[in-house]
Amino acid sequence: MKDLIIIGAGPGGLTAAIYGMRAGLDLLVIEKFSPGGQVVNTYEVENYPGFVDPIPGWELVSSMENQARRLNAEIISADVIAIQKNTADKSFTVSLADGSTHTSKTVIIASGASYRNLNVPGEKEYLGRGVSYCATCDGAFYKDRITAVVGGGDTALEEALFLTRFSKKVYLIHRREQFRGQKILQDRVLQSEKIEPVYNSVITSINGEGGVTSFTAKNVSTEEESTIPVDGVFIFIGFVPNTQFLDPSLLNDRGEILVDMQMATSVPGMYAIGDVRADSKRQIVMACADGATAALNAYEYLQQLSC
Ligand code: NAP
């Protein structure tokens, strides 16, 4: 039986692994995809302390992974489908999609969040043929072409700015009159000659023939609809927490895991960190801080168990 199982190997999970290994815990990290989390798709990170210049997201998180591996953290690739607390010995059984199980004395859930869908006609049909959720991955396909970005948060603003490296024009469609993202990003967006904000508007359909050719948007104030030709539509309208494998009693009404200041859930020995937990500010540095907090508290809990 492991001391600790960490579910998810984004910045939070990897930091928990680093702290857990340094505390001498026998731990296992289980990641559904490859280590890194959402940061892998971030072109540049400018607000992670310690780096004077912006650092590519993949580089930052692969350093975290290498650091955890140098400390001998075991990281496996598998899909967690359930976690069960065994009342007799207070252990946890973590079930994987391949039918196998792992047991541990503590669990840290760091499973992050997945992008939210717009749920409009054309979104699914043209996925990979003009519809994208990753500008870092697909932006270069739109050299000298016209793109649209949907959303008004930090991600939409950052990704719209990134797309100006390739696209000759970027429409930035937001359902309100003012962006939600950080002031520094808003200023950069408004200063960009390539970005045209489309305020108070929601996309009602993404249109095409084989690939995307236009989108139709409705002005929420006037109800007026217009169709604008574009070659690609990038959707950044937030994230939904990856908590499908958990008991609903652990979650709030947004599907996020409820924790206290120690990152402890209502189940003794189970912690949740980063974007999957309630009240997260969804910053890399905060996911890392959560990871350190949870690992140190898991260590203390293990000490008490053995008393
Ligand atoms: P977000 O802050 O939740 O913003 C989502 C945006 O999409 C909002 O502007 C929202 O509109 C809009 N939206 C949501 N549902 C929509 C729908 N169905 N149709 C149209 N628009 C919709 O998400 P995010 O930008 O991905 O950021 C997530 C978190 O990560 C935030 O806490 C953010 O600060 C953080 N983040 C930080 C950085 C950084 O520090 N460099 C970079 C990226 C992300 P409303 O404004 O009307 O709600």
Side-chain angles (χ1 to χ4, degrees), residues 38 42 44-47 116-119 150-159 173-176 178-182 185 201-203 236-239 275 280-284:
Q38 297 162 46
T42 302
E44 278 180 344
V45 177
E46 196 181 36
N47 55 4
R116 177 175 287 127
N117 295 315
L118 258 183
N119 293 321
V150 192
D154 286 337
T155 310
L157 303 189
E158 276 188 350
E159 302 301 303
I173 301 131
H174 182 38
R175 63 185 178 184
R176 289 189 298 126
Q178 215 189 351
F179 295 122
R180 172 192 288 277
Q182 296 165 45
L185 296 174
S201 296
V202 290
I203 287 198
F236 304 110
I237 58 165
F239 292 87
D275 288 7
S280 165
K281 291 277 183 238
R282 301 183 203 283
Q283 302 290 307
I284 304 167

Side-chain angles (χ1 to χ4, degrees), residues 28-42:
L28 172 68
V29 183
I30 305 176
E31 164 60 47
K32 188 172 180 178
F33 303 109
S34 48
Q38 297 162 46
V39 189
V40 168
N41 296 331
T42 302

Side-chain angles (χ1 to χ4, degrees), residues 98-219:
D98 65 6
S100 63
T101 57
H102 291 272
T103 54
S104 62
K105 295 173 191 161
T106 60
V107 172
I108 295 177
I109 302 162
S111 48
S114 303
Y115 54 76
R116 177 175 287 127
N117 295 315
L118 258 183
N119 293 321
V120 296
E123 182 180 17
K124 269 196 194 132
E125 290 87 325
Y126 297 115
L127 179 60
R129 291 183 294 146
V131 172
S132 173
Y133 302 89
C134 178
T136 312
C137 321
D138 300 329
F141 295 126
Y142 296 90
K143 191 163 166 39
D144 298 327
R145 299 170 85 188
I146 302 174
T147 49
V149 166
V150 192
D154 286 337
T155 310
L157 303 189
E158 276 188 350
E159 302 301 303
L161 286 162
F162 175 71
L163 281 170
T164 61
R165 290 165 189 249
F166 309 101
S167 299
K168 59 182 179 192
K169 181 171 187 119
V170 180
Y171 292 101
L172 180 51
I173 301 131
H174 182 38
R175 63 185 178 184
R176 289 189 298 126
E177 205 165 286
Q178 215 189 351
F179 295 122
R180 172 192 288 277
Q182 296 165 45
K183 172 87 171 57
I184 189 170
L185 296 174
Q186 292 195 30
D187 291 346
R188 285 176 191 167
V189 159
L190 297 176
Q191 276 159 21
S192 169
E193 286 177 359
K194 287 187 173 179
I195 299 177
E196 181 175 328
V198 182
Y199 297 110
N200 293 318
S201 296
V202 290
I203 287 198
T204 51
S205 68
I206 298 169
N207 319 308
E209 247 184 55
V212 168
T213 54
S214 67
F215 68 85
T216 302
K218 185 175 78 175
N219 184 301

Side-chain angles (χ1 to χ4, degrees), residues 7 87 96 98 169 204 243 259:
I7 299 168
T87 38
L96 306 182
D98 65 6
K169 181 171 187 119
T204 51
T243 49
V259 290

